Amino acid sequence: MSELSTMPTVLTIVGASPDAYAEAVSRVERLLSSHREDLGPLAADVFVNSGDLEAVKAGFAELAIDFAIQPVENRKKRLLIADMDSTIINVECLDELADFAGVKAQVSEITERAMRGELAFEGALRERVGMLKGLSVDALQSCYDQRVQLNPGARTLVTTMAQHGARCALVSGGFTFFTSRVAQAAGFHLNRANTLIEQGGALTGEVGDPILGKEAKLAALREETAALGLTPADALAVGDGANDLAMIEAAGLGVAYRAKPIVAAQADAKVDHTDLTTLLYFQGYKAEEFVS
């Protein structure tokens, strides 16, 4: 639908460069009847009165910007539920563990297919973990220390939302060894993930039941909102792979971060060019409100 509804609407623009941001703002001003409120050096809310939003979105296609279009009401979310691998952190931990076991190429291929939605998550996880049988548990700490980093803006996103009263949950199809450490580093209140089974100082090649996958992530969203007396409309969910899709679709604001096409096509908004602080701008936070 190209014409705007009667519901107050806000278009948030975040630029990856001054030139891209300036061009995006210029195009909006030509196409929409609106007023702008600056959120940061390269971020602004555009409160839309009338105009053709489809033309605006089409005009953004080649620009290095990220944007969201949503109702003004209930923008600041009370729950953040985030995927870990390739979303809050820079790597897929299972792929990196596989490197220590000498099977990264085989494992990474399965990971890629699973994240694109071509393979059932549970079976793909068991197959990949099976390839780690016999790997020393010491490799987990080495992997974390040498390979895992928070993605740009991750800590600011989590800390800022937490300081403003939101509950922040890290929910991963990966492993508790990593989520517990990443949650602490980024400032999450809680974390959920799968458990690698070990015996005699080595991985057995098995993962504990039940497997935390797509449905468990959706369940976590529903359980956490219910515990807070909220609804999924009060949540922000962010992820990159097919197993994140259910929670992204259910959340009031579902964001695809550097995501696979199947996820990007269904999310309310995408972050492809900027960092994770863009999720704060999407909620109407101003840069001076950010907490690092």
Side-chain angles (χ1 to χ4, degrees):
M1 184 169 58
S2 60
E3 292 302 316
L4 300 175
S5 70
T6 56
M7 182 177 294
T9 302
V10 60
L11 163 65
T12 307
I13 305 168
V14 186
S17 70
D19 288 347
Y21 175 69
E23 179 61 26
V25 170
S26 175
R27 293 182 187 186
V28 167
E29 291 175 343
R30 290 199 303 268
L31 290 167
L32 298 179
S33 172
S34 59
H35 71 277
R36 188 176 89 232
E37 181 175 331
D38 292 332
L39 300 174
L42 298 179
D45 275 341
V46 179
F47 296 92
V48 181
N49 301 313
S50 63
D52 191 339
L53 276 173
E54 294 303 320
V56 170
K57 290 192 285 185
F60 286 165
E62 83 283 8
L63 297 179
I65 63 156
D66 294 312
F67 67 94
I69 300 170
Q70 59 188 314
V72 173
E73 186 178 351
N74 196 29
R75 287 175 69 196
K76 279 192 168 71
K77 301 306 183 184
R78 300 280 303 282
L79 172 70
L80 168 66
I81 185 160
D83 171 52
M84 181 179 70
D85 296 276
S86 299
T87 301
I88 293 298
I89 63 172
N90 60 319
V91 293
E92 294 285 335
C93 290
L94 183 46
D95 291 3
E96 300 308 310
L97 278 179
D99 198 16
F100 284 82
V103 290
K104 185 173 183 178
Q106 302 94 303
V107 168
S108 295
E109 181 182 4
I110 299 170
T111 298
E112 179 68 19
R113 293 182 64 197
M115 292 302 97
R116 291 199 304 257
E118 297 173 6
L119 298 174
F121 179 80
E122 180 172 333
L125 182 67
R126 292 189 190 279
E127 182 179 0
R128 288 175 290 164
V129 171
M131 297 183 191
L132 304 182
K133 183 176 181 179
L135 181 66
S136 169
V137 296
D138 294 339
L140 277 70
Q141 189 64 49
S142 297
C143 180
Y144 179 79
D145 292 339
Q146 297 172 23
R147 308 290 177 88
V148 176
Q149 297 177 8
L150 295 178
N151 274 330
R155 181 165 177 80
T156 300
L157 166 65
V158 177
T159 306
T160 300
M161 289 189 67
Q163 286 288 317
H164 286 83
R167 187 159 173 81
C168 302
L170 184 66
V171 182
S172 173
F175 309 111
T176 54
F177 180 92
F178 296 102
T179 59
S180 61
R181 289 160 173 77
V182 170
Q184 183 175 10
F188 284 93
H189 295 109
L190 70 144
N191 67 94
R192 299 186 185 186
N194 294 299
T195 303
L196 288 167
I197 298 175
E198 59 183 81
Q199 186 175 11
L203 299 182
T204 66
E206 298 170 309
V207 60
D209 289 321
I211 297 291
L212 193 155
K214 179 168 67 174
E215 292 307 317
K217 290 190 176 193
L218 176 60
L221 170 64
R222 290 172 172 164
E223 290 165 12
E224 291 299 325
T225 51
L228 295 168
L230 306 173
T231 72
D234 300 303
L236 186 163
V238 58
D240 71 304
N243 64 327
D244 301 313
L245 192 52
M247 71 175 186
I248 285 174
E249 290 180 318
L253 179 59
V255 181
Y257 177 82
R258 307 284 199 275
K260 305 304 179 188
I262 190 174
V263 182
Q266 299 298 321
D268 298 312
K270 299 184 295 180
V271 174
D272 290 328
H273 304 285
T274 57
D275 67 27
L276 285 165
T277 60
T278 291
L279 275 65
L280 294 172
Y281 289 130
F282 284 173
Q283 296 176 79
Y285 286 98
K286 295 186 176 182
E288 56 262 34
E289 297 178 276
F290 290 5
V291 182
S292 58

